[in-house]
């Protein structure tokens, strides 16, 4: 997959949409990608990675707290 | 008839107040809700005399449980009240989920015939309670004491002492065992200082029972974001006596007292049903839901069942149904312990088995509630995205969660089940509840498989040889608990005329399974063998193998 093509495809998905519409379209895409991935463990790992920027030590997720 | 219009249940002055202590009772049940009343009947049928205490003198008022699952009905049937409930109840099995104007999902809970009871009936909780009160009254050894409120409790090694308040004063009652069925606000839990931990959902639901003669189909209809109630969910479901249950999600900011006023309720319901439909409000309440449980259900001689042990949000109808299954799991164990045929350790398996079942209920109810009441803007977006894909994508349809309806739990390996010793192609594995199947009797009459099980241990034998039957009878004769033999096959006396026993249990000729008194499979064999059966029976009763008497 050509990275510029991939980015252009995703950017095009948002064209002409307002913030709310974009958010819904993104959420639909996430669900479609999760289904295409078909792997619960990888999905969990990717979700954790997506969230990681907000997971500073003072702001731990439930999962981390349980693991601690 | 409505709960609050029911006759008062008769209070009688307890004999203890006149200085007639009756000694220590084997079992006292605290709480006369559906769960406690069911426990009393089950104990009586096991020959255990029981006193049931309830602080009130009416059956449940208002809009509470309506959906009773097949497994509960099978338990009520074992206790002699299932057919009456089935006759009165509204049978249903189809559910539909709508998003805005569109049908996104339709389910059929019992797609295949061949069970005595349907997937679900709807029946007001007060009918269930009344029918169990009537059944308890028929059974020897049940004493129901209304307006008897437990105010204090203490236990030592030998028993439990309860302090009870009545209109005529206070008295003490002693029991070997106490079953605490005193509901979500359990006094006993509070008196014992036990934590009831979990999660409260920040949302409010208007639950209304309305009387109307309407010809909506007998199906469970659930809406997300319907045109008549934007941005919230709604539910419509039929009950007996032309009563319909309506749930309307209100959001956390709604004022529960205001929302309950008829001038606010009626316009909402008109918007839902249409201006032209005549209805009358029968009952209205506003609820906030929670999922919580006790860390342990058994505390020595005090055992918690039903809502006092665990509480769930009602999406999925898992509250009352799981309490009935708690009783089903506990009572035979208690009866064996009281008879000195099993050690008290058997009761720990109640905690292990029902913990797993109730964790499963809490998990499902929590997930349903989170789908209906998303916790933040992101999860709301995700939920709406699922709904928007559901009409066209199977994977998204499968995520739509308006309540995963109660099904019996496959019990964990609590030490009572015997693991399979062979490869099975399907069937009912150890730990699972038995599945019903139609049978034909010698006289040509129709019969049901589950009617031959429950209450005691029994062995389902599929076309056994004469020789193995003889060996089994001989071996079981000297066992203190024993087990009944139920022979089924392609010929009389009990004929599997549709082949469904064989298909559902995957039993070849000569095979069999051991059923616990609660109709769960404890063990199964492709070739039955007396020694293996005796070992499985001891294991299922927590008896050290080979020992004849167990001190209680
Ligand atoms: C809106 C709603 C809908 C529901 N729908 C369903 C459904 O469709 N299906 C389902 O299975 N469940 C449903 N439930 C849950 C169901 O109502 C409960 O799980 C059920 O009532 C629990 O029964 P219980 O006998 O454990 O407790 P309860 O019914 O609460 O009974 C407890 C009893 O103990 C008595 N008591 C309390 N303290 C004392 C004391 N100190 N001394 C003596 N007696 C005492 C009380 O008076 C009461 O009679 C629903 C609940 C709600 C709120």
């Amino acid at each position: 997959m050509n990275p510029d093509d991939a980015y252009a495809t995703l950017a095009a998905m948002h064209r002409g949409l307002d913030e709310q519409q974009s958010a819904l379209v993104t959420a639909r895409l996430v669900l479609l990608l999760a289904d295409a991935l078909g792997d619960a463990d990888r999905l969990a790992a990717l979700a954790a990675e997506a969230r990681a920027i907000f997971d500073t030590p003072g702001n731990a997720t439930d999962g981390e707290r349980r693991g601690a | 008839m409505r709960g609050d219009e029911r006759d008062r249940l008769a209070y009688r002055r307890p004999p203890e107040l006149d200085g007639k202590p009756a000694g220590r009772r084997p079992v006292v049940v605290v709480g006369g809700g559906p769960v406690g009343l069911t426990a009393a009947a089950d104990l009586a049928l096991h020959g255990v005399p029981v006193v049931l205490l309830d602080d009130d003198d009416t059956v449940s008022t208002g809009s509470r449980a309506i959906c009773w699952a097949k497994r509960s009905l099978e338990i009520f049937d074992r206790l002699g009240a299932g057919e009456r409930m089935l006759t009165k109840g509204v049978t249903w099995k189809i559910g539909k989920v709508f998003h805005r104007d569109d049908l996104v999902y339709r389910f059929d809970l019992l797609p295949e015939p061949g069970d005595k009871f349907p997937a679900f009936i709807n029946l007001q909780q007060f009918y269930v309670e009344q029918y169990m009160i009537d059944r308890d009254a028929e059974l020897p050894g049940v004493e129901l004491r209304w307006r008897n409120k437990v105010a204090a409790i203490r236990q030592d090694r030998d028993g439990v002492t309860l302090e009870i308040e009545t209109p005529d004063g206070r008295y003490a009652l002693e029991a070997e065992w106490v079953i605490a069925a005193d509901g979500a606000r359990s006094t006993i839990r509070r008196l014992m200082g036990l934590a009831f931990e979990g999660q409260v959902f920040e949302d409010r639901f208007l639950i209304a029972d309305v009387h109307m003669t309407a010809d909506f189909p007998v199906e469970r209809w659930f809406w997300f974001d319907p045109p008549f109630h934007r941005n919230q969910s709604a539910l419509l479901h039929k009950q007996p006596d032309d009563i319909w249950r309506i749930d309307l999600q209100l959001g956390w900011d709604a004022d529960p007292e205001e929302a309950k006023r008829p001038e606010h309720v009626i316009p909402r319901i008109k918007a839902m049903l249409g201006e032209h439909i005549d209805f009358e409000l029968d009952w209205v309440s506003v609820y906030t839901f929670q999922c919580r449980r006790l860390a342990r259900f058994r505390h020595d001689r005090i055992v918690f069942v039903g809502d006092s042990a665990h509480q769930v949000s009602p999406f999925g109808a898992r509250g009352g149904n799981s309490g009935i299954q708690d009783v089903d799991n506990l009572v035979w164990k208690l009866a064996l312990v009281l008879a000195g045929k099993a050690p008290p350790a058997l009761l720990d398996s109640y905690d292990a088995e029902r913990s797993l079942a109730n964790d499963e209920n809490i998990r499902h109810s929590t997930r349903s509630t989170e789908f209906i009441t998303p916790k933040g803007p992101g999860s709301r977006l995700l939920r709406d995205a699922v709904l928007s894909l559901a009409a066209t994508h199977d994977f998204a349809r499968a995520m739509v969660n308006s309540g995963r309806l109660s099904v019996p739990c496959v019990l964990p390996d609590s030490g009572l089940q015997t693991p399979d010793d062979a490869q099975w192609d399907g069937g009912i594995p150890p730990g699972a509840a038995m599945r019903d199947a139609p049978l034909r009797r010698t006289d040509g009459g129709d019969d049901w498989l589950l009617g031959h099980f429950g209450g005691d241990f029994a062995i389902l034998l599929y076309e056994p040889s004469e020789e193995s039957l003889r060996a089994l009878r001989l071996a079981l004769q000297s066992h203190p608990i024993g087990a009944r033999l139920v022979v089924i096959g392609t010929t009389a006396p009990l004929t599997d005329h549709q082949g469904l026993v064989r298909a559902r249990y995957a039993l070849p000729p000569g095979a069999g399974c051991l059923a616990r008194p609660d109709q769960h499979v404890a063990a199964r064999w492709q070739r039955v063998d007396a020694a293996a059966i005796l070992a499985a029976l001891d294991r299922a009763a927590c008896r050290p193998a080979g020992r004849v008497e167990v001190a209680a």
Side-chain angles (χ1 to χ4, degrees):
Chain A
M1 185 160 64
N2 176 304
D4 291 348
D5 288 348
Y7 188 86
T9 303
L10 292 175
M13 184 183 84
H14 292 286
R15 200 166 300 139
L17 301 182
D18 67 21
E19 196 175 333
Q20 230 186 334
Q21 290 168 329
S22 265
L24 183 62
V25 168
T26 305
R28 283 167 57 95
L29 179 67
V30 166
L31 289 166
L32 290 164
L33 290 175
D35 180 52
L37 182 68
D39 181 333
D41 291 338
R42 288 215 45 214
L43 179 63
L46 293 171
E49 195 177 328
R51 210 196 136 92
I53 50 168
F54 298 113
D55 289 338
T56 54
N59 186 19
T61 63
D62 284 353
E64 280 173 345
R65 243 183 271 132
R66 263 201 304 278
Chain B
M1 180 192 70
R2 243 163 60 176
D4 54 338
E5 290 161 1
R6 295 295 318 206
D7 298 340
R8 301 261 153 205
L9 299 159
Y11 161 76
R12 282 189 204 85
R13 187 181 162 89
E16 288 81 358
L17 281 170
D18 301 314
K20 291 181 207 131
R24 183 177 281 153
R25 310 291 181 138
V27 183
V28 169
V29 175
V30 183
V35 176
L37 292 164
T38 301
D42 206 358
L43 285 160
L45 285 165
H46 278 93
V48 178
V50 53
V51 177
L52 180 146
L53 307 168
D54 190 272
D55 60 355
D56 200 6
D57 62 354
T58 55
V59 287
S60 169
T61 47
S63 39
R64 296 182 75 195
I66 60 168
C67 302
W68 301 94
K70 177 165 164 285
R71 182 67 205 136
S72 299
L73 296 170
E74 289 164 353
I75 296 167
F76 290 134
D77 195 41
R78 176 169 71 72
L79 303 177
E83 289 182 4
R84 193 173 174 201
M85 294 185 196
L86 181 62
T87 306
K88 179 71 190 177
V90 171
T91 293
W92 65 278
K93 59 177 195 150
I94 303 289
K96 287 183 179 158
V97 179
F98 302 89
H99 178 220
R100 309 218 165 109
D101 284 316
D102 306 321
L103 174 67
V104 291
Y105 182 59
R106 176 190 183 278
F107 55 81
D108 182 341
L109 292 166
L110 200 60
E112 170 199 349
D115 293 77
K116 178 172 178 183
F117 288 94
F120 272 94
I121 63 164
N122 284 358
L123 182 65
Q124 290 88 330
Q125 182 161 333
F126 56 76
Y127 278 123
V128 170
E129 293 180 8
Q130 188 60 54
Y131 293 178
M132 289 316 298
I133 290 171
D134 294 346
R135 183 66 185 129
D136 284 335
E138 289 170 5
L139 293 169
V142 184
E143 205 186 315
L144 304 181
R145 296 188 179 185
W146 307 105
R147 296 180 76 187
N148 274 242
K149 182 185 165 78
V150 172
I153 187 165
R154 60 177 183 276
Q155 64 171 323
D156 57 28
R157 270 197 39 175
D158 307 316
V160 187
T161 307
L162 297 151
E163 295 281 337
I164 299 152
E165 284 169 3
T166 74
D168 294 319
R170 217 172 147 113
Y171 70 98
L173 197 61
E174 292 195 9
E176 281 186 60
W177 300 92
V178 165
I179 297 182
D182 55 345
R185 294 200 188 95
S186 170
T187 314
I188 297 187
R189 214 177 51 218
R190 184 172 47 76
L191 291 170
M192 293 173 68
L194 301 174
F196 198 44
E197 274 165 11
Q199 183 177 354
V200 177
F201 300 95
E202 296 195 343
D203 203 341
R204 298 186 203 281
F205 289 82
L206 178 83
I207 313 281
D209 284 332
V210 308
H211 182 267
M212 64 176 173
T213 39
D215 50 7
F216 299 114
V218 181
E219 298 173 345
R220 178 183 190 266
W221 283 8
F222 194 100
W223 290 264
F224 289 99
D225 191 15
F228 56 83
H229 193 55
R230 289 310 307 270
N231 293 315
Q232 304 286 12
S233 67
L235 174 125
L236 180 68
H237 217 174
K238 189 178 180 145
Q239 305 172 55
D241 305 337
D242 289 319
I243 301 285
W244 295 74
R245 168 63 54 87
I246 292 174
D247 289 14
L248 292 168
Q249 186 179 19
L250 298 176
W252 186 229
D253 297 332
D255 176 339
E257 287 313 312
E258 278 297 302
K260 262 198 297 209
R261 290 173 184 280
E263 64 265 35
H264 293 137
V265 175
I266 288 168
R268 287 187 196 279
I269 294 177
K270 282 202 159 146
M272 177 173 184
L273 302 174
E275 285 294 329
H276 58 285
I277 288 190
D278 275 334
F279 65 87
E280 240 176 274
L281 293 181
D282 188 65
W283 191 274
V284 179
S285 17
V286 173
Y287 287 99
T288 291
F289 296 125
Q290 40 242 310
C291 286
R292 313 185 276 183
R293 61 163 288 181
L294 277 175
R296 281 189 294 127
F297 298 159
R298 177 183 174 206
H299 289 259
D300 302 316
R301 293 180 164 274
I302 301 170
V303 190
F304 290 84
V305 294
D307 275 16
S308 73
H310 44 75
Q311 195 186 9
V312 292
S313 59
F315 309 106
R318 289 169 180 266
N321 285 303
S322 88
I324 302 305
Q325 291 175 64
D326 288 349
V327 166
D328 189 39
N329 188 292
L330 172 64
V331 167
W332 66 269
K333 296 175 181 175
L334 203 50
L336 282 180
V337 171
L338 276 161
K341 292 181 176 174
L346 176 60
L347 299 175
D348 290 329
S349 71
Y350 163 75
D351 184 82
E353 294 182 338
R354 293 309 297 164
S355 265
L356 181 105
N358 284 297
D359 284 347
E360 196 172 292
N361 287 329
I362 288 174
R363 187 170 69 250
H364 281 298
S365 302
T366 302
R367 287 177 167 180
S368 303
T369 313
E370 281 175 0
F371 195 87
I372 294 164
T373 302
K375 267 200 196 127
S379 49
R380 164 126 210 159
L381 197 62
L382 190 68
R383 200 279 306 269
D384 291 345
V386 167
L387 289 169
S388 77
L389 284 168
T392 46
H393 290 75
D394 289 344
F395 81 89
R397 191 171 309 138
M399 286 177 177
V400 172
N401 190 343
S402 73
R404 303 277 181 238
L405 288 149
S406 174
V407 287
C409 161
V410 178
L411 301 172
D413 181 19
S414 55
L416 304 195
Q417 276 68 258
T418 301
D420 284 341
D421 62 359
Q423 281 289 332
W424 286 79
D425 187 14
I428 314 275
M434 295 179 79
R435 172 87 192 263
D436 206 359
L439 295 175
R440 172 124 327 139
R441 290 193 307 262
T442 319
D443 63 10
D446 286 329
D447 205 347
W448 293 102
L449 180 70
L450 284 190
H452 295 272
F453 292 88
D456 55 7
F457 281 98
I459 302 163
L460 192 172
L461 297 167
Y462 205 84
E463 301 195 338
S465 67
E466 275 308 318
E467 184 196 330
S468 73
L469 259 180
R470 247 193 323 270
L472 259 180
R473 282 205 188 96
L474 195 68
L476 285 164
Q477 246 168 29
S478 55
H479 194 278
I481 296 175
R484 272 183 309 114
L485 302 181
V486 181
V487 175
I488 288 167
T490 46
T491 56
L494 282 175
T495 313
D496 181 20
H497 62 302
Q498 295 184 14
L500 281 175
V501 177
R502 181 160 186 182
R504 287 178 178 170
Y505 288 75
L507 295 174
C513 66
L514 172 66
R516 307 182 351 167
D518 55 15
Q519 297 173 333
H520 280 255
V521 173
R524 58 178 177 172
W525 302 272
Q526 285 172 356
R527 203 132 267 303
V528 293
D529 163 80
I533 285 183
L534 289 182
L537 186 58
D538 282 327
R539 189 183 167 101
C542 211
R543 291 169 56 85
R547 260 178 61 191
V548 178
E549 272 324 306
V550 183

